[in-house]
Amino acid sequence: MARIVGEANGKRGITMTAPPLVQRPSKALLIGLVVSGVIALTVLAVMLLSGGVIGFGLSALLAVAPLPVLLAAVLSLDRLEPEPKLNLAFAFAWGAGVAIVAGIALTLAGQQLFARAGYTSAAVESIGTVVLAPLVEEALKGSALLLLLRRRAEIDGLTDGIVYASMAGLGFAAVENVGYYLLAFGEDGPGAAVQLFVLRGLIDPLGHPIYTSMIGLGVAFALTSRSQARYAAVPLGYVAAVFLHGLWNGAATTGSLEWLGAAYLVIMAALVLLIVVTVVERRQLIARMAYYLPAYGQTGLVSEADVRMLTTLSARKSARKWARGAGLGRAMSDYQQAATELTMLHLRNERQGVEPRRFAMERDALLGAMARARRW
């Protein structure tokens, strides 16, 4: 356990009688990451062989081009308490691999059932695009969140659910877009691929992340809320994801700019909702630090000035800027992150309850991290 051990250079310090708590990645998570990655690479290899080097190269370039900006946008939501990189990689790989292959297979199988029932080929194509694809693909992308439930301590708030869902959506969209661009290239040449890129890569690049984020919201709410509504949160999130996905696909099949515009506005409204949720939750989390952290003042790790610095976004940013000038940039970032995670631990204990020994171990590990970082 952590305990106060006296004065050192005018400061009271913390010593750890237990090693810092480090959560090792589970074997299941590692296996899932490897399997999903291999499947994604296999799909891309098949596209390369079927589409040729030039067509595949152009399609892959167009699909990857917006990814750095999109990944940066998603990860910027998570700067206050970053999620483990391995978990984020798993969600992305799951969307790019398992969700793509299973989505194609199940959608085609569903279309075959409708074809055998006597539906025309045009009707089967429309059903597959507007109904089956949204139902199947959102279930598969959203399953990445369900698989992460075993590590539920990582999902501390609604923002975490949005981030993981967005990563799965980005992975899915990246590989799917390669396929679409390759088909357009094969039918009408590079001009058609670039035209499709304008629609999918520039006008609506966040479609899949936004759809699946509805499921992410549902899963995160179910994990972090004690209200009775939590039992309906996941299915409602799934219904919202399917609705948004089906709305866009349906509008696209009409070829009507009016329908596309209306669908786009609805999806952008959903994006605004997601942004508002993350901003409000971030501000609430920072405000809660002013409630929990002063109790650690006796350790010498959290002064009144530290609390003021930690409890507004502008003060945190100013502190990091000052620390960089003093050669303490990394130390300040580590200190702020550990203090944030300590607050999240208290919130998790308040909302869900944490086994006392586990709480003490995590608390002391975070206090130890703060002690190592605080050099001002």
Side-chain angles (χ1 to χ4, degrees):
M1 296 299 172
R3 55 189 174 85
I4 299 170
V5 296
E7 303 284 337
N9 297 324
K11 296 182 182 178
R12 301 168 79 186
I14 286 277
T15 187
M16 302 296 296
T17 58
L21 182 67
V22 178
Q23 189 175 26
R24 297 175 61 187
S26 69
K27 291 182 179 179
L29 185 66
L30 291 172
I31 292 172
L33 176 59
V34 171
V35 170
S36 298
V38 169
I39 291 175
L41 291 174
T42 302
V43 171
L44 292 174
V46 170
M47 291 181 183
L48 171 61
L49 294 174
S50 62
V53 174
I54 296 176
F56 176 82
L58 175 62
S59 300
L61 178 63
L62 294 175
V64 170
L67 260 185
V69 174
L70 299 177
L71 287 170
V74 170
L75 295 178
S76 69
L77 302 176
D78 196 37
R79 290 182 64 190
L80 205 57
E81 193 232 351
E83 297 307 303
K85 292 182 175 60
L86 191 65
N87 288 9
L88 295 172
F90 165 77
F92 185 90
W94 181 269
V98 173
I100 281 284
V101 172
I104 293 172
L106 292 175
T107 300
L108 290 175
Q111 287 179 304
Q112 286 297 315
L113 292 177
F114 282 97
R116 291 174 184 173
Y119 286 80
T120 65
S121 58
V124 169
E125 185 67 24
S126 295
I127 291 171
T129 301
V130 180
V131 179
L132 294 179
L135 285 170
V136 171
E137 291 173 7
E138 294 311 318
L140 289 167
K141 287 183 292 175
S143 63
L145 276 294
L146 299 180
L147 291 170
L148 286 169
L149 289 183
R150 292 186 61 187
R151 302 174 69 82
R152 60 180 60 198
E154 298 297 349
I155 302 180
D156 292 312
L158 301 180
T159 300
D160 293 348
I162 293 171
V163 169
Y164 283 124
S166 295
M167 292 299 289
L170 285 176
F172 187 96
V175 176
E176 183 185 55
N177 282 344
V178 175
Y180 276 121
Y181 299 152
L182 194 57
L183 286 174
F185 178 90
E187 292 176 358
D188 298 305
V194 173
Q195 287 181 352
L196 186 58
F197 166 74
V198 172
L199 176 62
R200 298 183 65 89
L202 298 181
I203 296 177
D204 187 39
L206 287 172
H208 280 289
I210 292 172
Y211 312 150
T212 313
S213 286
M214 299 296 109
I215 301 175
L217 279 178
V219 171
F221 183 83
L223 286 176
T224 59
S225 173
R226 290 184 175 181
S227 72
Q228 294 298 313
R230 70 183 186 275
Y231 296 109
V234 176
L236 285 176
Y238 173 67
V239 169
V242 171
F243 169 75
L244 291 175
H245 195 159
L247 178 66
W248 178 256
N249 284 7
T253 60
T254 65
S256 166
L257 289 178
E258 289 81 5
W259 275 104
L260 272 176
Y264 189 75
L265 288 176
V266 173
I267 293 170
M268 288 303 101
L271 175 60
V272 171
L273 170 65
L274 294 174
I275 294 173
V276 169
V277 167
T278 59
V279 170
V280 170
E281 187 172 64
R282 180 182 297 178
R283 293 185 181 278
Q284 289 176 341
L285 170 59
I286 290 176
R288 292 298 281 174
M289 291 183 186
Y291 177 77
Y292 289 116
L293 295 183
Y296 293 97
Q298 63 177 339
T299 66
L301 297 177
V302 186
S303 67
E304 291 184 8
D306 291 327
V307 173
R308 289 194 298 271
M309 175 269 289
L310 289 164
T311 50
T312 68
L313 288 172
S314 59
R316 290 168 72 100
K317 183 177 180 180
S318 296
R320 291 194 300 272
K321 181 178 180 181
W322 167 83
R324 286 193 296 270
L328 298 171
R330 179 57 184 269
M332 177 61 75
S333 295
D334 290 346
Y335 178 83
Q336 289 186 350
Q337 183 176 341
T340 303
E341 291 180 359
L342 181 59
T343 303
M344 296 297 295
L345 173 63
H346 278 278
L347 284 172
R348 193 164 75 245
N349 186 52
E350 181 183 289
R351 291 185 302 216
Q352 304 162 251
V354 179
E355 191 271 324
R357 183 173 179 276
R358 177 76 181 183
F359 178 89
M361 289 178 63
E362 292 193 32
R363 177 200 63 203
D364 294 344
L366 292 169
L367 288 173
M370 292 169 68
R372 291 188 293 274
R374 194 180 189 282
R375 300 198 295 274
W376 52 87

